[in-house]
Amino acid sequence: MAGEEEVQVVESCFVTPAKDTPRKALRLSPLDLLMLANRGYTPLVHFYRRRCSVDDFFDVAKLKTALGKALVPFYPMAGRLRADADGRLEIDCNGEGMPFLVAHCHLTVDDFSEFKPSPRLRGLFVPHTDDSEGIVCSTQVTFLKCGGVALGTAVHHGAMDGTAAFHFFQTWSAFSREGDWAVVKTPYHDRSLLFARNPPFVHPDTLSIFCLKVNMSQLSGPVVNEVFTLGKGQVSTLKRICGGDMSTFSVVSAHMWQCMCLARRLPPNCTTRLVFPANVRRSMTPPLPDGYFGNVITYVSVANEARGIASGDLAYIVRRIRDSLSRVDDELVHSAVDYLELAKTDNRPATGSLPATDMRVVSWLGMPVYDVDFSWGKPLAMLRAESNRGGYVHLIDSAHGDGSIRLVMCIEASILKEFKRLLYAKFESMVYSKF
């Protein structure tokens, strides 16, 4: 494993729920299987600086006690992914526990000041987890030379989406801060709400709105990870260009899509696609119960001739994104579920990169990614530890709360310089406030 010469694991155990929990199988929904085919494990890292006045900074016993309490309401995370008698994946809620590792590392937080994904970062701080073991989530607490901590987790995307995962992190950290006095939101575990209908029915518009097939290819050259920052003033400038009342996600995605088409020099008549996961919890009728634990996202696709994106105004591109989102409703979500049931999604995580015409934007904007305070302060940074699929972008709010956002990209090395030039060129002749 990359980085093992720099990290020494000093403890490895399984943390089990602090109380008896239901012993049953939770069948995965078609949306769970879609995420499994798209991803597998999601590697995350939270970095924390040591507070000088604290003696029990990231006390391991306290963390394990809190984790055991969190695994009572989140009992599927202590289970294992298995295939049932019919070969269909489910979570066996058997209480076997979550892997918990403790390690020491001679590096410091400042050695990772760019907070950029890399295979080395994952190798250092995220526990290695094999699909064959069926682990739902594992975690590693690494104490750094500077006194800080890197908290790494491997979260199985087939079991939960980002909303559910961050709900778990909030709960674990709340039990660490407040013990038995913690007030936590109870997760909802009935996944049958997202099972296929009987009989299934696929609405004719389903495949024009959603991207329900995993299409990967091999790019002609290497890809690199890069992080760009757009300040609050720059985001406001994009919104003004587009007419004002637009979401940060839509204007930034539109701007990146246009820059990507230009940097790649796509043929004018080829079809380019912007794909992004949409949280459809509130698109259902009635909305899914608060705290639904599982995957409730599906990929929305916006397709256009490259000439229309490369030469069009941003307001037009934003309208295309908003129009696609506005069409997502209860019927189309159920129709997507029915389509996936009929298509028998391949459970193996896909490999490769997106086609050179496409870009996929994953938004964590507005999510509580920094609301993970175990009683020693919020994290200095949080990021995906590794991103190796060309064409993927993650949008993350700044940890400083200053209104800026980070664009964490996996991009072809051959177009990186030109993409960066295009990304910031729009602001060079404009005056904006940088907060």
Side-chain angles (χ1 to χ4, degrees), residues 114-269:
E114 291 185 329
F115 300 118
K116 185 185 300 185
S118 69
R120 179 171 179 249
L121 191 69
R122 182 174 188 165
L124 286 168
F125 302 128
V126 179
H128 176 72
T129 307
D130 194 302
D131 275 317
S132 63
E133 299 172 353
I135 301 293
V136 176
C137 182
S138 58
T139 191
Q140 176 178 314
V141 180
T142 303
F143 292 91
L144 304 172
K145 183 180 179 180
C146 61
V149 162
L151 175 67
T153 49
V155 181
H156 205 298
H157 211 329
M160 72 199 86
D161 60 16
T163 298
F166 292 122
H167 179 192
F168 166 74
F169 288 134
Q170 286 178 302
T171 302
W172 178 16
S173 60
F175 277 121
S176 178
R177 283 194 319 272
E178 302 165 22
D180 292 333
W181 295 100
V183 177
V184 298
K185 182 173 66 178
T186 303
Y188 184 89
H189 293 301
D190 182 5
R191 300 192 182 207
S192 65
L193 298 176
L194 287 175
F195 287 175
R197 296 171 292 192
N198 187 17
F201 171 73
V202 179
H203 190 282
D205 290 343
T206 303
L207 294 183
S208 67
I209 297 294
F210 297 128
C211 178
L212 300 175
K213 297 180 180 179
V214 184
N215 297 315
M216 294 292 174
S217 64
Q218 296 299 322
L219 296 175
S220 58
V223 296
V224 293
N225 289 127
E226 191 55 77
V227 179
F228 302 105
T229 299
L230 291 180
K232 180 179 179 180
Q234 291 169 313
V235 174
S236 297
T237 296
L238 291 176
K239 291 181 178 181
R240 285 198 301 271
I241 292 172
C242 296
D245 186 22
M246 307 289 180
S247 71
T248 296
F249 166 77
S250 63
V251 299
V252 173
S253 296
H255 181 44
M256 288 192 300
W257 191 14
Q258 185 173 67
C259 294
M260 191 72 83
C261 288
L262 290 167
R264 286 171 167 169
R265 300 181 183 275
L266 296 180
N269 61 345

Side-chain angles (χ1 to χ4, degrees), residues 288-351:
L288 289 183
D290 198 26
Y292 180 96
F293 185 79
N295 284 285
V296 198
I297 56 177
T298 188
Y299 288 101
V300 174
S301 174
V302 187
N304 205 93
E305 275 196 343
R307 63 162 57 89
I309 302 303
S311 61
D313 62 72
L314 281 185
Y316 164 76
I317 304 172
V318 169
R319 285 196 300 272
R320 293 296 319 279
I321 295 171
R322 293 179 70 176
D323 289 348
S324 295
L325 276 172
S326 67
R327 295 172 63 188
V328 177
D329 59 17
D330 183 76
E331 172 55 37
L332 280 181
V333 173
H334 281 295
S335 186
V337 169
D338 291 351
Y339 172 86
L340 292 167
E341 180 71 18
L342 293 169
K344 301 299 181 186
T345 306
D346 189 345
N347 293 336
R348 295 170 298 179
T351 59

Side-chain angles (χ1 to χ4, degrees), residues 25-28 81-92 347:
L26 289 177
R27 179 179 140 197
L28 299 188
L81 284 163
R82 309 275 193 236
D84 65 13
D86 298 322
R88 190 176 186 109
L89 279 176
E90 62 185 17
I91 301 177
D92 179 10
N347 293 336

Side-chain angles (χ1 to χ4, degrees), residues 42-97:
T42 300
L44 303 174
V45 178
H46 291 78
F47 283 99
Y48 296 82
R49 284 200 188 277
R50 183 179 179 86
R51 299 167 109 187
C52 297
S53 59
V54 175
D55 293 328
D56 65 342
F57 187 69
F58 272 81
D59 179 79
V60 170
K62 184 175 182 178
L63 288 172
K64 289 196 288 189
T65 298
L67 180 56
K69 293 177 179 178
L71 289 175
V72 175
F74 285 89
Y75 60 88
M77 299 189 72
R80 297 293 181 268
L81 284 163
R82 309 275 193 236
D84 65 13
D86 298 322
R88 190 176 186 109
L89 279 176
E90 62 185 17
I91 301 177
D92 179 10
C93 301
N94 54 22
E96 288 186 11

